[in-house]
Amino acid sequence: MITEDDLFPVLSHAVRRRLLVLLETLGELCVCDLTAALGLPQAVVSRQLAVMRTARLVAVRKCGTWVYYRRHPDLAPWVAAVIVALRKAPGAGALADDVRRLETRRQSGPSGCDTGDR
């Protein structure tokens, strides 16, 4: 079970907060969707997802070569409430930009990870 000592260091990084809010808001997303949404290189996003996975904040699903992440389904209610509260935090305006970038990517046509297996 995650403790405060596990959670708050993870939340201290802006990219991890943005990733958690995206996953909380939009549900399961592949790494390529997350990189497009944040406008960051895949290596940066994957590294931050690995930290969140180690902390058991996200769950992973592999489908062929594609990797999909979602908020971990077994989070303690207090942890889930903190993640939901991040959507209303002062820096949450970045979420609208992140979602807009992802929607723009999706409107430009299917990507390699759009297999219909989600």
Side-chain angles (χ1 to χ4, degrees), residues 29-36 42 45-46 49 66-69 113:
L29 295 168
C30 71
V31 173
C32 57
D33 282 337
L34 292 166
T35 59
Q42 180 270 328
V45 172
S46 291
L49 287 166
W66 305 108
V67 181
Y68 296 88
Y69 286 86
C113 63

Side-chain angles (χ1 to χ4, degrees), residues 15-50 52 58-61 66-71 94-95 97-103 105-106 111 113-114 118:
V15 171
R16 292 191 290 256
R17 288 192 305 272
R18 288 170 65 193
L19 286 165
L20 276 172
V21 171
L22 273 172
L23 295 171
E24 173 67 30
T25 304
L26 302 175
E28 184 177 73
L29 295 168
C30 71
V31 173
C32 57
D33 282 337
L34 292 166
T35 59
L38 273 61
L40 295 171
Q42 180 270 328
V44 171
V45 172
S46 291
R47 174 66 188 127
Q48 300 312 322
L49 287 166
M52 293 166 31
V58 297
V60 65
R61 176 178 68 89
W66 305 108
V67 181
Y68 296 88
Y69 286 86
R70 66 185 183 283
R71 191 192 79 166
L95 174 63
D97 295 336
D98 294 341
V99 171
R100 187 172 39 258
R101 276 190 292 277
L102 181 55
E103 288 173 347
R105 176 183 185 274
R106 288 180 171 173
S111 64
C113 63
D114 293 328
R118 291 186 193 193

